[in-house]
Amino acid sequence: MQETPMTPSQDSVQLTPRKRRWLYRSLWVLFALVIVLAIAAGATGLWLRAHLMASMAQLDGERKVDGITESVTIERDELGIPTISGKSRSNVAFALGFVHAQDRFFQMDLMRRQAAGELAVLFGQAAVDWDRTIRVHRLRSHAERTWAETDGEERKILEAYCEGVNTGLASLDEAPFEYLALRSRPATWTPEDSLLVLLAMFIELHDEDGSRDSALGLVYDLMPKAMADLLGAQGTEWDAPISGEPFVTPPLPGPEVFNHRSGVELMAAATVQSVDLEKTKEVIGSNNWAVTGQLSAHGGAILANDMHLGLSVPNTWYRTSLSWDDLKNQHGKQHITGVSLPGLPSLVVGSNGQIAWGFTNSYGDWTDLVVLEIDPSDSESYLTPDGPRRFERFTEAIEVSGSDNVLVEVEWTIWGPVIDHDHRGRRRVLCWTATTPGGLNLSYHELESAVNLDTAVEVANRLGIPPQNFVVVDHTGRIGWTIIGRIPRRYGFDGRVPTSWSDGTRGWNGWLEPSDYPKIIDPPLGRLWTANARVVGGEMLAKIGDGSYDLGARAGQIRQGLMEAETFTETDMLGIQLDDRALFLTRWRDLLLEVLDPESIAADARRGELRQLVEGWDGRAGIESVGFRMVRAFRSFLSEQVLNSLTRDLQKADDRFHFGELGQTEGIVWKLLTERPLHLLDPSYETWEEQLMAGVDVTISYFSSDGSTLSQHPWGERNTARIQHPLSQTIPMLGRWLDMPVEPLPGDSDMPRAQGPGFGASQRLAVSPGREESGYFHMPGGQSGHPLSPFYRAGHDAWAKGEPLPFLPGETQHKLVLKPTTP
């Protein structure tokens, strides 16, 4: 049987996370048209440059402002990294808001609008679909309620930050250049907007549409249990948890349970489909790890962290160092250095001299789909443990630029919004930590001032952010792991599949107390590691749940690197972060060479070239490696074909289903290819050997259909970084001014150096609290979001080349003093 291969093309590469695709590929069409119209109307280059220069951040001098009680100093180094110094945390928060607005306001604006479902007011009809989808969650209303309940230091800091944002924006001679193109004016920043920025990260990192639960529920609803257990496997032999053992892939069911080659299925499976061997796997996640002071060369605990996100211009993070007077601190001052998220008043990851902390996405189960049971006597009511209850109904009005408002009707329940219907037509509600009362707060300032590991862990367990793996080290050499963010207290079920909560035997009952949180403190091995895979087992895992963990191969490779040495420096941490060995694909390489035996090569000489390239592969995802690319494509074809075939009936039952939501599919595919049971073979093939040879031939055709040889397709041809400003995706000729350099980069999924054309490490750091001068940091892109700024690309080359830059800001090159209007 012949497959119809697609050819290698960058058009097949997904450049951004799924939560942003529509923005980067559609909304900027309007932006581009406005630019073109402006030029056509007679706007000269000088005029445009003058307006662009007028929106540049102020770097030097003095400025009198309302909103601070004492002067605040903003010093920038050669990369544009600000060190903000003031007497109080509130004054420093004001100044942080000031620089965020001047350097990154449009980024902040998009994030708040993304979460609120308010992008159409800027971009018109192109954004209506997104706004309609997200409005169901009523996140702006949730932010308003949360802010109304906020008090104390948290409220004071956020109010000061927002005033700083609005002052910084107003201090520009022109609005940020994007608004010039859009012929729009930026809206005032409010505390609710900062909460929306935080909610945008919930959207980015969580399953906000319940697709994981929905897919698994369909599997268990329509498949025999043994087959459902196989497809719903929760781990593989690649698992590398800190605590607990690897999970075993369930046994393959016999033909009496599931026969994939029976009658109707055989006819349905005969359709030949085009294949794309190089689909980009989104890596929305991170690596982090730590070693105790006993294992470091200088005696201090070391933290390493690289958070993987979709890469764009400007970068997600904004480097900064903050300093203010603090009588509670033994030195009389609090000083913290790390990265902030524009729109929020605190550092996200960094060090305060006493502790250092970092994140990876936990992939715990932070959403549940609730199947509603409608009251038989009243279609406007649903059943709850306290009896029937009527739906709350809201009308959300989406303001659309250049068009009439679009109205969205929302049904709300005690558990959350009705978001869809299942394949049986039953209404389903999403219960989500982001929108459950108590799940959202901005108490991050408490972490900034934590003095030791125990305090930091206790604070982390009370924060209302997207739940993450939290690895922390302190100045005494201790290390620990826990979950930062709120964990729901489930009862009566494990949260894996949609279920009814109407009778009160299943549901959420508040939040776990910090004393009940999963924790690993002072591990006996002196090492901790997380990489979006399962971290723990047993009771700790039951509390976290399974939100579709990543394969454990990346975590295992990090663990291997940590176990191979007994003494570490910060430089050693960078070596692990840049590890591009494709250990995961070794067994696939061996399988491919097994298939490429002398008999098969004699039948097609092109197979001989493939064998030579695979035999000569050095085992790395290097930019010159052809062998890596071939093995990767071979695996991609077989994995997708095997899983598509097995789940074809599920796709027919619900066209939203995709096997990628199931998570741990590598173990399933490998078990099938090694045991090769005939009754589970794709009906399009007579034998497993035929299907394996099809994988060989499709791989060859994919790369040579244009007349080229396989050796002309190294990995760097495919893995070329395209870190783009959204505008250049519509008008490519602007890329030379707006984008980061287009260059091939090593790395891929399932290895520490997780790298793709549009995703990768959004930063890399290693630091020991109290020894920050020995640490390093680099990130893609620069500090400023303004293309004329000297800081627009500053530091990017070091990130691309894997070269360390100092963790601390360098010598002062610019100095701006904000002074209170009234002394």
Side-chain angles (χ1 to χ4, degrees), residues 276-333:
D276 180 359
L277 303 189
E278 299 197 304
K279 288 182 179 178
T280 297
K281 174 186 175 184
E282 295 177 2
V283 180
I284 309 301
S286 317
N287 303 320
N288 69 358
W289 59 87
V291 297
T292 64
Q294 293 177 329
L295 296 179
S296 75
H298 51 51
I302 303 176
L303 169 81
N305 194 195
D306 50 301
M307 297 181 283
H308 304 153
L309 294 168
L311 303 180
S312 60
V313 180
N315 189 33
T316 301
W317 310 116
Y318 184 88
R319 296 184 67 178
T320 191
S321 189
L322 308 178
S323 178
W324 67 93
D325 293 350
D326 185 356
L327 297 178
K328 297 178 182 178
N329 188 285
Q330 60 178 343
H331 304 294
K333 274 189 173 294

Side-chain angles (χ1 to χ4, degrees), residues 225-516:
K225 186 177 185 305
M227 192 65 189
D229 287 342
L230 177 67
L231 293 174
Q234 293 185 272
T236 72
E237 65 274 22
W238 291 101
D239 291 353
I242 301 171
S243 173
E245 299 298 324
F247 288 157
V248 176
T249 301
L252 301 178
E256 73 284 358
V257 174
F258 186 84
N259 190 343
H260 192 39
R261 298 175 67 81
S262 60
V264 175
E265 291 183 78
L266 178 61
M267 296 174 60
T271 302
V272 177
Q273 297 180 341
S274 296
V275 292
D276 180 359
L277 303 189
E278 299 197 304
K279 288 182 179 178
T280 297
K281 174 186 175 184
E282 295 177 2
V283 180
I284 309 301
S286 317
N287 303 320
N288 69 358
W289 59 87
V291 297
T292 64
Q294 293 177 329
L295 296 179
S296 75
H298 51 51
I302 303 176
L303 169 81
N305 194 195
D306 50 301
M307 297 181 283
H308 304 153
L309 294 168
L311 303 180
S312 60
V313 180
N315 189 33
T316 301
W317 310 116
Y318 184 88
R319 296 184 67 178
T320 191
S321 189
L322 308 178
S323 178
W324 67 93
D325 293 350
D326 185 356
L327 297 178
K328 297 178 182 178
N329 188 285
Q330 60 178 343
H331 304 294
K333 274 189 173 294
Q334 186 67 61
H335 193 94
I336 58 175
T337 301
V339 295
S340 59
L341 177 63
L344 298 179
S346 303
L347 264 63
V348 176
V349 164
S351 177
N352 69 3
Q354 311 258 3
I355 66 163
W357 69 97
F359 296 157
T360 66
N361 197 11
S362 63
Y363 285 94
D365 191 358
W366 313 124
T367 61
D368 278 326
L369 281 179
V370 182
V371 178
L372 289 184
E373 296 186 34
I374 304 302
D375 184 355
S377 62
D378 181 5
S379 62
E380 292 298 308
S381 297
Y382 60 98
L383 302 183
T384 78
D386 298 320
R389 185 157 180 160
R390 294 185 69 81
F391 290 102
E392 289 185 85
R393 299 190 181 278
F394 302 95
T395 300
E396 294 278 318
I398 299 173
E399 185 179 348
V400 184
S401 176
S403 186
D404 294 336
N405 287 358
V406 172
L407 302 183
V408 177
E409 301 299 326
V410 179
E411 289 183 311
W412 202 270
T413 73
I414 59 173
W415 302 299
V418 176
I419 64 165
D420 70 3
H421 295 71
D422 69 6
H423 66 288
R424 298 186 190 180
R426 299 176 298 180
R427 278 185 276 194
R428 299 190 296 194
V429 167
L430 188 82
C431 191
W432 185 13
T433 60
T435 53
T436 299
L440 179 70
N441 65 56
L442 284 175
S443 298
Y444 220 99
H445 63 280
E446 297 181 38
L447 187 60
E448 296 174 341
S449 301
V451 297
N452 56 42
L453 184 145
D454 295 328
T455 303
V457 167
E458 196 275 335
V459 169
N461 298 157
R462 291 189 282 105
L463 286 181
I465 69 170
Q468 303 283 289
N469 288 313
F470 178 73
V471 172
V472 59
V473 304
D474 74 11
H475 63 102
T476 68
R478 301 176 65 204
I479 65 176
W481 165 88
T482 189
I483 294 292
I484 188 171
R486 307 304 299 274
I487 297 180
R489 189 187 300 277
R490 281 189 181 87
Y491 64 92
F493 75 128
D494 62 10
R496 297 187 70 212
V497 299
T499 186
S500 170
W501 294 8
S502 64
D503 64 4
T505 61
R506 294 170 296 276
W508 292 6
N509 182 21
W511 306 100
L512 288 185
E513 294 296 326
S515 59
D516 295 328

